[in-house]
Amino acid sequence: MPQKKNPCGMYGCFWRTRRAKLLRINKTKLQDPRAAASSKGELGEGGSFLRLLRQGTMQSPRNATEVQMSQMVQPGHANHRGELSIGQLLKWIDTAACLSAERHAGCPCVTASVDDIYFEHTISVGQVVNIKAKVNRAFNSSMEVGVQVSYEDLCNGEQWNVCKAYATFVAQGKPAAKIKLKPFVPQTEEEKMEYSIAAERRRMRLAHADTIKGLVSNNPVQSELETRDCNMAVPAEKTRVESVELILPPHGNHQGNTFGGQIMAWMENVATIAASRLCHSHPTLKTIEMFHFRGPSQVGDRLLFKAIVNNTFKYSMEVGVCVEAYGHEMEVSRRHINSAFMTFVVLNEVGQPRTLPLLKPEPGDGERRFKEASARQKIRLDRKYVISCKHTEVPLSVPWDESNKVYLSFNNVTALKTLVAKANWVLASEREKVKMYILEEDTFLSIRIEMTISINAMEACLLLSDLRHRHEWDKHYASAELVQQVDKDDMIYHVISQTMSEENKPQDFVILASRRKPCSKGDPYVVAFRSVTLPTHPAKPEYTRGETLCSGVCIWQETDELSKVSYYHQATSGVLNYITTNIAGLSSSFLSTFQACEQFLLKNKDNSCIGLQDL
């Protein structure tokens, strides 16, 4: 019989030793799944405890910030049509996102902004809303939280996606001071992709206001106002709505500030009223432009909501909403808390959008809002085309202009980062320190060629982003002309290739080159390439116009002297034959090209004049 009073006796020591051994092995398995095979032979499969422990370690590690919320849609959550109110959905989204942010921060967090939201479906009473929120990336004192919303019908078990949202939260210490966040470490392929792209979304948020201003100033929408029949138009002032709310304790969050989701719900309410006054019907909210919280409000404050229809298009209208806060009724000064733009449609009996009446804007600020609404609509259409582009149905080369330059740059870098983050790359061959990997996915074949070079990563980025010098190391390039310096990080080139097409003519390309410096430690320098269309450079009969879907270079600084340079190319039909011909064993063509690239980098690494500008 074992001695119960002696926990360190023979049996106690045996189980402590065994448990420690199990923990060591399973810790190794978490780091290297191949260790699972060796652990089977060492410890056997005798006990259920061991089997359960082994099963747990084989599962993908769950994101510690993940929050899952399920809500049954009750009549109190619904609008007059028996559908879930978007305002209520925004409350749930903000709650789940805030909980996720606070899991990572370990302290109170406040909503700073919510990116554009596109609603794909409506949700009826009795259906279940499923919300999943998790941190994508932490910056200094802010973090991005991704939220996926779907709903399910409990009667038939079917599920549909409703929307995806990206919210930015700021961690706050005491008293209301920002604190520095710990880094977020992605684990799965999806998390790594979202982590990488979060930096691009942040860049796009910061540039959004300047994009609108530039588009309005460069492309004033005066002709549209002049050609409208004002006698048939609805005066904008008839759609104006003002509403005041007293912030009570139920409207506050756990920090004493007004709950961000509640403010968004009130904004949606007044916007719906403004839209209804124009169409004399019940509108459906389709899109919310970015919510941006400019400051906090507290229990006891008054919130003044102002909404007005800014512009109408054939089947949709934009409503602008702003929120101001003040402490008491005698207070003169008011604080701008939030603003947003919402797009509504009016559906007929069969669910199709109805034609809407024209709008006559108010003079002065009304005309400014009218023009800005037209600019935002153009950006929405451009962005939808660029980001949701189906490569088998539309040309790869998207027309470039001032309205979509931010989103084309975003899509360019995002596509490359998505390709880089994929986990199924297979080493095809290795020769003389040059490695080639391949990735097969459905109709696409991608290659990655990798080498380590004695050069600073920033210098390599500057040299490789200037396509005018690529012919010095890549024999497939005949020449490259810098057509337009868009900004510090984006350039457009006209490239003539040495490669002959099926028509026995040289190929030419119009390529947007977008480069990025690392957002945080461990990130690479990125140079991404994609095809665009420019009216100044149409296709010419002496060339075959080629298209680049996704290609580019990532450079990681490994030591003070060494950088890892990886070239990526997603093959389209035009170059697929060339890629597959050289895929078996690293061909002399690939090898010589990237050996020449190494020599080019080493030769010019101290020649700063080659780089267009410092990053």
Side-chain angles (χ1 to χ4, degrees):
M1 295 289 292
Q3 297 292 327
K4 295 182 179 180
K5 293 183 179 180
N6 183 10
C8 293
M10 178 179 67
Y11 293 100
C13 291
F14 170 77
W15 283 111
R16 286 192 176 191
T17 303
R18 184 176 178 85
R19 184 167 61 248
K21 198 171 189 179
L22 281 170
L23 291 176
R24 283 198 307 271
I25 290 176
N26 283 282
K27 183 178 180 181
T28 303
K29 287 165 64 179
L30 282 173
Q31 297 170 349
D32 185 1
R34 292 172 297 181
S38 64
S39 66
K40 178 177 178 180
E42 184 173 354
L43 293 176
E45 294 184 298
S48 59
F49 168 73
L50 178 58
R51 286 197 297 271
L52 290 173
L53 188 57
R54 178 176 290 112
Q55 291 170 4
T57 59
M58 292 301 290
Q59 296 174 356
S60 298
R62 180 173 176 176
N63 188 324
T65 70
E66 184 176 303
V67 171
Q68 295 189 25
M69 176 188 294
S70 293
Q71 298 280 357
M72 175 78 77
V73 180
Q74 304 291 348
H77 302 142
N79 57 23
H80 63 283
R81 291 191 296 266
E83 298 168 351
L84 174 64
S85 161
I86 296 297
Q88 180 61 61
L89 179 58
L90 292 172
K91 288 184 182 180
W92 289 339
I93 289 174
D94 192 57
T95 299
C98 183
L99 292 174
S100 176
E102 292 186 350
R103 279 190 179 180
H104 180 73
C107 65
C109 297
V110 295
T111 312
S113 66
V114 180
D115 287 4
D116 303 358
I117 305 177
Y118 299 86
F119 299 99
E120 300 178 22
H121 295 283
T122 57
I123 308 171
S124 302
V125 170
Q127 294 175 329
V128 173
V129 180
N130 296 312
I131 301 174
K132 182 185 293 185
K134 56 185 178 180
V135 172
N136 288 334
R137 183 162 187 163
F139 300 98
N140 289 326
S141 61
S142 67
M143 71 198 92
E144 181 190 275
V145 180
V147 184
Q148 178 69 54
V149 181
S150 62
Y151 77 94
E152 62 178 308
D153 191 312
L154 296 179
C155 296
N156 56 30
E158 293 184 349
Q159 298 191 29
W160 295 267
N161 290 325
V162 176
C163 65
K164 179 174 280 190
Y166 295 99
T168 301
F169 283 81
V170 176
Q172 289 194 328
K174 296 180 181 180
K178 295 180 181 180
I179 64 173
K180 185 172 178 61
L181 292 167
K182 62 184 179 183
F184 172 74
V185 181
Q187 301 293 331
T188 66
E189 178 181 338
E190 178 189 1
E191 290 174 5
K192 291 176 182 177
M193 181 182 69
E194 292 287 3
Y195 176 90
S196 182
I197 298 173
E200 282 304 299
R201 284 190 288 263
R202 185 170 184 251
R203 176 188 175 94
M204 193 165 61
R205 289 180 202 113
L206 298 175
H208 182 74
D210 290 336
T211 302
I212 294 290
K213 291 178 183 177
L215 185 59
V216 171
S217 61
N218 295 328
N219 301 281
V221 193
Q222 295 178 351
S223 58
E224 187 179 355
L225 284 170
E226 294 169 356
T227 57
R228 288 198 171 194
D229 186 353
C230 295
N231 295 323
M232 300 295 293
V234 177
E237 55 264 26
K238 288 191 175 182
T239 70
R240 185 181 297 279
V241 179
E242 285 196 8
S243 178
V244 66
E245 297 284 353
L246 174 62
I247 304 175
L248 300 173
H251 304 141
N253 59 20
H254 51 300
Q255 306 161 46
N257 296 323
T258 314
F259 174 42
Q262 179 63 71
I263 295 177
M264 291 190 285
W266 281 330
M267 293 174 74
E268 186 266 340
N269 179 60
V270 296
T272 302
I273 296 172
S276 300
R277 288 181 176 175
L278 179 125
C279 61
H280 300 293
S281 184
H282 297 294
T284 299
L285 180 60
K286 297 298 290 182
T287 304
I288 297 177
E289 195 95 358
M290 181 185 296
F291 286 104
H292 181 66
F293 289 88
R294 301 174 184 271
S297 57
Q298 293 79 33
V299 172
D301 279 346
R302 281 75 169 164
L303 293 184
L304 178 64
F305 296 84
K306 298 179 181 180
I308 192 170
V309 176
N310 289 332
N311 201 342
T312 60
F313 310 102
K314 186 172 183 180
Y315 297 117
S316 64
M317 71 184 95
E318 182 194 276
V319 179
V321 189
C322 74
V323 187
E324 297 175 345
Y326 56 99
H328 52 81
E329 294 303 325
M330 301 303 294
E331 187 174 313
V332 177
S333 62
R334 292 170 178 170
R335 312 185 307 274
H336 185 188
I337 295 298
N338 202 341
S339 58
F341 303 96
M342 305 186 188
T343 303
F344 290 85
V345 298
V346 179
L347 304 177
N348 59 21
E349 296 77 8
V350 294
Q352 296 300 313
R354 267 177 33 192
T355 303
L356 297 176
L358 300 176
L359 183 83
K360 179 182 178 181
E362 298 174 316
D365 281 348
E367 293 181 351
R368 174 186 58 79
R369 292 194 299 268
F370 181 93
K371 297 173 184 177
E372 289 178 351
S374 293
R376 279 186 290 271
Q377 189 216 27
K378 178 166 175 47
I379 287 175
R380 280 193 295 271
L381 294 175
D382 287 339
R383 179 174 53 205
K384 185 176 181 180
Y385 177 78
V386 170
I387 294 178
S388 64
C389 179
K390 296 182 179 180
H391 304 301
T392 58
E393 299 175 8
V394 297
L396 304 182
S397 299
V398 178
W400 184 94
D401 60 38
E402 285 290 329
S403 68
N404 67 5
K405 67 179 183 180
V406 173
Y407 305 103
L408 270 173
S409 179
F410 164 80
N411 178 261
N412 191 15
V413 177
T414 296
L416 179 60
K417 287 187 172 183
T418 301
L419 183 62
V420 172
K422 293 185 180 297
N424 298 324
W425 290 96
V426 177
L427 179 63
S429 59
E430 179 178 3
R431 285 178 57 186
E432 300 181 33
K433 299 180 182 180
V434 179
K435 298 179 181 178
M436 183 173 73
Y437 299 81
I438 60 172
L439 176 66
E440 298 180 70
E441 294 180 298
D442 299 328
T443 58
F444 293 115
L445 173 67
S446 302
I447 62 166
R448 178 177 108 213
I449 300 177
E450 188 174 281
M451 56 186 172
T452 301
I453 303 176
S454 298
I455 188 174
N456 178 271
M458 186 182 75
E459 291 178 336
C461 179
L462 290 170
L463 291 166
L464 295 177
S465 63
D466 189 348
L467 295 184
R468 292 174 298 179
H469 295 272
R470 185 157 172 171
H471 69 277
E472 296 180 25
W473 59 271
D474 188 348
K475 65 180 182 180
H476 303 98
Y477 270 57
S479 65
E481 172 196 5
L482 178 62
V483 174
Q484 187 168 348
Q485 178 77 47
V486 179
D487 54 34
K488 181 173 71 71
D489 294 320
D490 294 273
M491 298 76 70
I492 299 177
Y493 295 91
H494 179 225
V495 174
I496 298 176
S497 173
Q498 300 273 24
T499 305
M500 304 300 287
S501 66
E502 293 180 356
E503 293 86 3
N504 199 30
K505 295 188 292 186
Q507 289 184 305
D508 75 332
F509 302 81
V510 179
I511 293 178
L512 170 66
S514 304
R515 63 187 183 189
R516 299 288 187 271
K517 63 182 179 181
C519 184
S520 60
K521 186 177 180 180
D523 284 356
Y525 285 85
V526 175
V527 184
F529 306 117
R530 67 157 297 154
S531 292
V532 294
T533 300
L534 279 180
T536 57
H537 287 71
K540 294 183 178 180
E542 60 265 33
Y543 299 110
T544 298
R545 177 55 54 89
E547 293 182 315
T548 296
L549 171 63
C550 174
S551 63
V553 183
C554 289
I555 307 113
W556 287 267
Q557 189 75 52
E558 296 199 324
T559 68
D560 292 341
E561 300 294 333
L562 295 176
S563 296
K564 182 176 74 174
V565 179
S566 293
Y567 172 80
Y568 297 82
H569 192 106
Q570 195 169 48
T572 56
S573 57
V575 296
L576 187 60
N577 184 53
Y578 170 77
I579 296 294
T580 53
T581 300
N582 292 279
I583 211 74
L586 189 57
S587 71
S588 57
S589 175
F590 276 134
L591 180 63
S592 60
T593 297
F594 286 91
Q595 285 178 334
C597 179
E598 179 181 15
Q599 295 303 314
F600 167 78
L601 292 174
L602 294 175
K603 176 183 176 182
N604 295 285
K605 66 179 182 179
D606 297 322
N607 188 0
S608 59
C609 65
I610 290 184
L612 292 177
Q613 297 180 43
D614 289 339
L615 284 172

